[in-house]
Amino acid sequence: MKNSHLQVERIALREWLVLSILILFFTAGLLYYKTLERSDLVLYDRLMQLNSRPARDDIIIVGIDSHSLSELGKWPWPRLRHAELIKQISAAQPVAIGMDFVFTEAEERNDQAQNGDQQLAEAMVRSNNVVLPLISENAGKGLTTVRPIPLLASAARQLAHINLELDKDGVVRSVFLREGMNGEWWPHFALAMADVAGKIAPGTETDLPGERLSATLRNAPPEPGTWQRDYLLHIPFAGSSGHFRSVPYVSVLRGEVPADFFKNKYVLVGPTASAMADSFPTPVSGNEGMISGVEINANILAALLDQRSIHAAPKAYLYLLNLLAVAVALTAYQMLSPRKALMATAVVAVITMLGSWAMLRYAGYWAAPTAALLGLIIAYPLWSWRRLEAAIRFLAEEFRILDKEPHLLPEFIDEDDEQPARALTDTLEQSINAMREAVDRVRDLRQFVSDSLSSLPDATMVTTTDGNVLLTNQPALDYFAGIGMPKVNDALVPYLFAKMSPPQNGESGPDSAFSWWDLLDIKHTRTMSQGIEVRDPQGKDLLIKSAPSYNGEKQLVGWIVSLIDITSVRAAERSRDETLHFISHDMRAPQASILALLELQRDSSTALPAEEFMARIERASRSTLGLADNFVQLAQAESQNYRYEEADFQDILLVATEEMWSLARSKNILIQTRIQDEEFPVLVDNSLMTRVLTNLLSNAIKYSPKDTTITCSLVREQRLADSIIVCSITDQGYGITHADQARLFQRFQRFRTNEQPKNDGIGLGMVFVKAVLDRHQATIDFTSVPNEGTTFNVRIPADLD
């Protein structure tokens, strides 16, 4: 059985390894061939929408919006208006002005009109911080650069390109910060504005963000007619349309904007109206669809000023992120249950997404996790399918093996529980139904074992091979709880027995040390199966046994340890020994005296006078009769034949005092009674309870000097809902020494000091008293002071029915 389990585990491990390698190679292939590139872009856009940040206060957009078009007329507008706009803005001393218009042709005018180009050029010269765009176009003769008209180009502080990079899906996600042709380079429009504000000459910028061309391409001589690009920047969009502060063109032109509104600001002037057709889709467009070009340039400018950029993560990190996520999930499949494995897959997917988002937001690196996500989506169903196949095979095989085992318990079929066989059941359901029957059979067997263990009268524990307690019946739990060890399960057996005395028998002798670990040693099996006798902290005598437990393959799997309370057996043996000693000595002595007297009487030379002879015979006979009578009374007290009847305890006390009157009279001892004027109902065996009081009175008389008083009192005490009758007998006798008080209720104990006379008691009277009171749920206690007297208190429940 064990070998088959190992074989199943090896097969499962092999399948897991094969599946893991295939899934990891599949994920790596997705990364290598960029199969999910479009999915990466979609996910990139969604994460970019979550990466919005507050707009910079120093970037202002002067927008040619619908309101301005309706107020100033259709586009294009006279360049005098642009000149006036620049004058209005320059008066507030902005750090840079970007005119996002392409002035590639001179303005048409008649002789009476002012020269708008000249006026615009003069305004740009006075401002000295205006950036104008240039474009590239293919007019049929190859790619050429289209600049503003020379008048305006010379008046601008810088010229810059406004080209945007469109991905395969037509979305703007990046831009080249430098582009050029025939060895001449131009910065991007936003970079040029940053250079103007920072008074940096074009081409001298340091630490520009973005991905550079390879050194080979950068150093190669430029090919004529070829457009060159460098410093690819993935735009970290701060927000979508309307994110940056914007004012209408017409409001600025009319002076409706405060004079200091543009002070130390970057001002971008460009179309924002949808009718201008200068809009592009971006990752942050969302449902809006498009963002104007001037707003895209504002995002690029904010990224440059904040020194933010997005880089493609190194391939090593990209592979590590995706393959590690898949590997963690695959490891969870091997170690966790299917439900937990599914939860682990979801957690790994979420963590992978969060990791990719965190890298994008806080580190500026984009590592697409789509390959890992697809790998996780494929991995779990494949693994579940393989495990389901393995489960079906395992269930079928295990049921076949289990069905061959003998049926130890009778199996009953309830006709009401029978269900008609269904025609359509798949293989898994059939295997589950078969295994359910097997499990029910094992559960019944386990319940049978558990009930058998619980029904054992002796404390019994089942442990592992190293002594760790697995199962415990109720007597064992009660016993260890009684000695202050409430936690038994999972405890070690040797520690449970650590406070007990060493064994009184067994293999351990004077030269060999005993250890409680011997209970779990196969070498001591013979001795431990017979049992070892110990004494627990409460003074109980125990017989401890242990026996090995084996599985179906005869391998040791644990131990069965039992504790048998033999306190009563050992107490009976001690009582027997004491009784035999008494019979051999105390009862034999008077009989031997009688035989000796008879032998002496036969010889006339040794014969005693008849009166003395009869007196000696009488004393010996009375002594023997008294001993026999004490034994009979004690046997009656310890028997089960009690005859309980309702009585008044004061009547019992008065009868006992009457019986002891003559004995007290012989020593001139006065017996006084102090009884409250009420009834004292009890349920007792009248004769035995009377004998209890006569024994107490007899002892009081025997152990008191002449001319003293014995006081008997009877009171009733109320304790919550219970009523207790207290009978007190107080003498003025010799008292009981402190050393003898602990032995007062033990068999054959006699107490005598040098001051008191000898008496003929044998030490069974107080044992009789204790036995009778115990059977009546009554108690007895006493106080005694040597040479002053003793008081015995009998407390018995009142009969309230």
Side-chain angles (χ1 to χ4, degrees):
M1 184 69 70
K2 186 175 181 180
N3 293 333
S4 65
H5 289 170
L6 291 176
Q7 185 177 4
V8 170
E9 291 178 0
R10 294 193 189 99
I11 294 174
L13 180 60
R14 184 167 64 246
E15 287 193 359
W16 175 78
L17 288 174
V18 172
L19 179 64
S20 299
I21 292 173
L22 291 177
I23 295 296
L24 290 173
F25 270 104
F26 172 76
T27 306
L30 294 177
L31 294 171
Y32 182 79
Y33 292 105
K34 299 181 179 180
T35 310
L36 303 175
E37 186 173 4
R38 285 190 176 273
S39 300
D40 293 344
L41 294 177
V42 172
L43 181 60
Y44 174 84
D45 293 348
R46 297 296 178 268
L47 295 181
M48 281 300 300
Q49 294 173 11
L50 300 176
N51 280 350
S52 64
R53 62 184 186 276
R56 290 180 61 97
D57 294 334
D58 56 354
I59 297 178
I60 307 295
I61 296 176
V62 177
I64 303 176
D65 54 3
S66 299
H67 173 63
S68 298
L69 290 173
S70 65
E71 292 291 322
L72 300 177
K74 295 194 301 184
W75 185 264
W77 294 334
R79 292 179 183 175
L80 285 174
R81 289 181 180 175
H82 298 318
E84 185 63 27
L85 181 77
I86 292 176
K87 290 178 183 178
Q88 292 281 358
I89 297 174
S90 298
Q93 298 180 350
V95 294
I97 301 174
M99 302 292 292
D100 193 6
F101 311 119
V102 180
F103 300 109
T104 58
E105 296 179 355
E107 184 180 42
E108 295 183 2
R109 66 184 182 87
N110 52 37
D111 294 338
Q112 288 79 20
Q114 295 181 350
N115 188 340
D117 290 336
Q118 183 64 38
Q119 294 292 329
L120 178 59
E122 291 176 1
M124 292 169 58
V125 170
R126 284 194 295 270
S127 177
N128 196 30
N129 59 1
V130 178
V131 177
L132 291 182
L134 55 81
I135 60 174
S136 61
E137 67 177 16
N138 191 341
K141 298 180 181 180
L143 196 63
T144 59
T145 303
V146 181
R147 309 173 188 234
I149 61 175
L151 178 62
L152 299 180
S154 61
R157 177 70 177 271
Q158 278 198 31
L159 298 180
H161 78 86
I162 55 173
N163 297 329
L164 299 174
E165 187 69 12
L166 298 179
D167 289 331
K168 294 179 181 180
D169 55 358
V171 178
V172 175
R173 297 184 180 88
S174 56
V175 65
F176 285 95
L177 294 181
R178 296 187 64 190
E179 294 189 4
M181 188 175 181
N182 300 327
E184 187 176 8
W185 292 87
W186 294 279
H188 185 268
F189 189 75
L191 178 59
M193 292 187 65
D195 290 344
V196 169
K199 297 179 174 55
I200 300 174
T204 63
E205 303 93 349
T206 59
D207 299 327
L208 281 181
E211 301 172 9
R212 296 216 59 188
L213 294 174
S214 64
T216 304
L217 295 177
R218 292 200 308 268
N219 298 328
E223 297 182 8
T226 302
W227 192 263
Q228 298 171 300
R229 300 181 296 182
D230 200 1
Y231 291 102
L232 177 64
L233 172 69
H234 298 281
I235 306 172
F237 287 90
S240 185
S241 179
H243 188 67
F244 289 91
R245 284 197 300 175
S246 176
V247 294
Y249 185 105
V250 66
S251 299
V252 179
L253 188 64
R254 293 173 177 175
E256 297 173 358
V257 178
D260 59 346
F261 185 73
F262 299 109
K263 185 175 180 62
N264 297 326
K265 300 293 194 302
Y266 296 86
V267 182
L268 291 92
V269 183
T272 58
S274 57
M276 301 291 288
D278 184 28
S279 300
F280 303 89
T282 66
V284 296
S285 299
N287 296 329
E288 299 169 4
M290 300 284 186
I291 298 181
S292 63
V294 68
E295 290 182 288
I296 296 176
N297 289 330
N299 276 279
I300 299 172
L301 177 59
L304 294 173
L305 296 178
D306 291 337
Q307 296 183 344
R308 287 178 176 268
S309 61
I310 297 176
H311 305 274
K315 287 187 176 180
Y317 176 79
L318 184 63
Y319 278 86
L320 177 64
L321 172 69
N322 287 270
L323 295 180
L324 181 61
V326 176
V328 169
L330 291 169
T331 303
Y333 299 165
Q334 180 69 7
M335 301 176 63
L336 303 178
S337 64
R339 180 175 62 84
K340 292 182 178 179
L342 178 59
M343 295 175 59
T345 302
V347 169
V348 170
V350 171
I351 291 176
T352 304
M353 288 282 293
L354 290 177
S356 180
W357 172 79
M359 288 291 293
L360 180 64
R361 180 177 180 86
Y362 300 107
Y365 283 95
W366 167 238
T370 50
L373 298 178
L374 182 59
L376 293 174
I377 292 173
I378 294 175
Y380 185 79
L382 287 176
W383 174 247
S384 299
W385 163 60
R386 293 308 306 154
R387 297 311 298 150
L388 183 60
E389 285 284 337
I392 293 175
R393 293 197 305 270
F394 173 77
L395 290 175
E397 180 64 19
E398 288 298 313
F399 179 74
R400 184 185 62 80
I401 296 174
L402 187 61
D403 196 47
K404 293 181 179 180
E405 295 290 331
H407 297 187
L408 301 179
L409 298 177
E411 298 180 0
F412 302 96
I413 300 177
D414 190 349
E415 295 180 357
D416 296 335
D417 294 338
E418 290 184 350
Q419 298 178 354
R422 285 175 289 180
L424 297 177
T425 55
D426 59 13
T427 305
L428 178 60
E429 186 175 358
Q430 293 174 3
S431 301
I432 290 176
N433 290 334
M435 185 52 63
R436 184 181 293 113
E437 295 178 8
V439 169
D440 289 341
R441 190 183 305 161
V442 173
R443 187 181 294 112
D444 292 341
L445 183 60
R446 181 186 181 279
Q447 187 63 40
F448 172 76
V449 173
S450 178
D451 292 343
S452 300
L453 178 64
S454 300
S455 63
L456 293 177
D458 299 321
T460 305
M461 298 175 291
V462 179
T463 76
T464 60
T465 54
D466 57 358
N468 196 46
V469 178
L470 296 177
L471 299 175
T472 312
N473 64 356
Q474 192 60 42
L477 294 174
D478 294 340
Y479 170 75
F480 284 106
I483 62 173
M485 294 183 176
K487 185 174 177 54
V488 180
N489 290 340
D490 295 331
L492 288 174
V493 166
Y495 296 154
L496 293 176
F497 297 154
K499 295 182 180 180
M500 296 186 181
S501 67
Q504 302 175 10
N505 59 348
E507 295 179 351
S508 301
D511 300 330
S512 60
F514 172 79
S515 171
W516 288 110
W517 292 100
D518 293 346
L519 290 170
L520 312 174
D521 193 342
I522 201 70
K523 294 185 297 185
H524 299 277
T525 300
R526 182 176 180 182
T527 300
M528 297 307 166
S529 63
Q530 296 175 354
I532 56 174
E533 292 187 24
V534 299
R535 180 163 291 180
D536 70 1
Q538 295 181 341
K540 294 182 179 180
D541 294 311
L542 302 177
L543 183 65
I544 300 178
K545 296 182 178 181
S546 69
S549 177
Y550 300 93
N551 61 9
E553 297 180 355
K554 303 301 180 182
Q555 294 177 331
L556 181 66
V557 294
W559 295 84
I560 300 175
V561 181
S562 61
L563 294 81
I564 305 172
D565 188 350
I566 58 173
T567 303
S568 59
V569 176
R570 292 294 177 257
E573 291 178 352
R574 288 191 290 269
S575 177
R576 179 199 62 190
D577 294 340
E578 292 173 351
T579 302
L580 290 176
H581 174 75
F582 168 75
I583 292 174
S584 64
H585 183 269
D586 291 71
M587 291 195 70
R588 189 173 178 274
Q591 301 296 326
S593 298
I594 293 174
L595 292 175
L597 288 172
L598 292 173
E599 190 68 28
L600 291 174
Q601 201 66 21
R602 288 192 183 98
D603 189 349
S604 59
S605 61
T606 58
L608 297 174
E611 185 176 349
E612 182 181 356
F613 172 73
M614 294 302 294
R616 289 179 180 271
I617 290 292
E618 181 182 2
R619 283 197 301 270
S621 298
R622 288 185 181 278
S623 176
T624 303
L625 183 60
L627 293 173
D629 187 40
N630 283 332
F631 265 107
V632 171
Q633 290 181 2
L634 181 59
Q636 184 181 1
E638 293 177 345
S639 70
Q640 304 295 324
N641 299 323
Y642 276 50
R643 298 178 180 178
Y644 295 100
E645 56 185 347
E646 296 180 355
D648 192 329
F649 203 87
Q650 65 176 326
D651 295 337
I652 300 174
L653 178 59
L654 293 175
V655 170
T657 57
E658 286 294 329
E659 289 186 12
M660 292 294 104
W661 182 84
S662 59
L663 180 61
R665 178 79 176 197
S666 65
K667 296 182 67 175
N668 198 25
I669 293 176
L670 177 63
I671 300 178
Q672 292 182 345
T673 56
R674 296 176 181 175
I675 303 175
Q676 295 180 355
D677 188 14
E678 61 177 306
E679 294 184 351
F680 300 90
V682 290
L683 187 65
V684 295
D685 186 311
N686 210 321
S687 62
L688 291 178
M689 188 57 67
T690 303
R691 183 57 188 268
V692 166
L693 298 181
T694 57
N695 277 7
L696 293 176
L697 288 170
S698 175
N699 286 340
I701 295 170
K702 290 179 181 179
Y703 293 99
S704 295
K706 295 179 179 181
D707 303 321
T708 57
T709 301
I710 296 176
T711 303
C712 301
S713 64
L714 197 60
V715 297
R716 189 168 176 175
E717 296 179 354
Q718 192 69 27
R719 297 181 180 177
L720 298 178
D722 298 329
S723 182
I724 304 297
I725 295 174
V726 182
C727 177
S728 301
I729 299 176
T730 304
D731 62 47
Q732 298 174 337
Y734 306 108
I736 306 172
T737 64
H738 184 73
D740 292 336
Q741 290 180 9
R743 301 182 293 117
L744 182 62
F745 298 103
Q746 297 180 9
R747 291 172 179 259
F748 309 116
Q749 300 297 322
R750 302 173 182 174
F751 311 108
R752 179 176 177 272
T753 62
N754 294 330
E755 294 80 5
Q756 66 187 67
K758 179 180 179 181
N759 64 75
D760 297 330
I762 62 172
L764 292 179
M766 296 307 295
V767 178
F768 168 83
V769 169
K770 187 69 167 59
V772 173
L773 292 178
D774 288 343
R775 292 291 299 276
H776 285 80
Q777 285 78 47
T779 61
I780 183 170
D781 59 78
F782 66 93
T783 57
S784 182
V785 178
N787 298 320
E788 291 186 12
T790 303
T791 298
F792 281 93
N793 301 305
V794 175
R795 305 176 191 276
I796 185 170
D799 183 19
L800 301 179
D801 295 338

